[in-house]
Amino acid sequence: MTRPSEVKPREGDQPGTPYEVFEIGAELPDMAFSITPEINTEYLEAIDEQEKNYSINGRKVCAPNVLSVYLLAVLYRRYPPIQGIVVYDQLWKWRSPIFADETTDLIASGKVTEKFEKRGRKWLRFSAQFRKTDGTIVAEANHTLHLPE
């Protein structure tokens, strides 16, 4: 079982990454982790949701957004967090379910896709892909952050 805190550096644990250091096109290193039935249960409790709401053809599946708590860890493995990051938006494409009654080993990877300034603020976009160890794509995400100066 891999809790997000096990793969995601905390702000202040190491020097944070200033905006200027992010490189457009930079590949984000692979991150291996596992989603277990226990992780799914904890996540459903945290979002006050019921597992009966998630099934495919009668088989229980994890809430797909359980992966959202791992998304920033994909970026932070190469670029440690700087204090004051503001999450702006996330766009997800769900490709394959994670079954709630088994442990699913996943590999996440990503890429910095854009840096820009708008109204005097600095923004960063990155993409991430979550796949099973057999290569099956589970989800893809695009994420936008505001980075402090």
Side-chain angles (χ1 to χ4, degrees), residues 2-117:
T2 311
R3 288 194 168 76
S5 59
E6 296 173 44
V7 293
K8 183 175 165 188
R10 294 180 180 264
E11 291 179 6
D13 281 355
Q14 52 192 315
T17 308
Y19 178 80
E20 296 74 30
V21 173
F22 288 92
E23 301 170 71
I24 297 171
E27 297 289 333
L28 304 173
D30 285 356
M31 178 181 77
F33 65 102
S34 300
I35 300 292
T36 63
E38 295 83 10
I39 289 287
N40 184 55
T41 299
E42 287 177 18
Y43 184 73
L44 291 174
E45 288 173 5
I47 64 171
D48 197 24
E49 188 60 88
Q50 297 176 14
E51 72 178 22
K52 69 179 182 178
N53 295 332
Y54 299 94
S55 68
I56 294 176
N57 299 324
R59 187 170 179 194
K60 293 178 184 174
V61 296
C62 295
N65 52 341
V66 69
L67 295 177
S68 64
V69 296
Y70 295 88
L71 181 57
L72 284 173
V74 176
L75 178 69
Y76 292 170
R77 292 176 71 76
R78 178 168 179 163
Y79 297 109
I82 193 167
Q83 202 145 19
I85 289 174
V86 176
V87 172
Y88 180 67
D89 70 10
Q90 297 179 4
L91 174 65
W92 287 87
K93 292 180 182 177
W94 311 106
R95 304 287 189 200
S96 180
I98 300 171
F99 292 103
D101 60 354
E102 64 188 28
T103 296
T104 302
D105 296 323
L106 297 168
I107 300 168
S109 58
K111 184 176 187 176
V112 174
T113 57
E114 188 178 3
K115 286 171 53 171
F116 62 97
E117 292 189 40

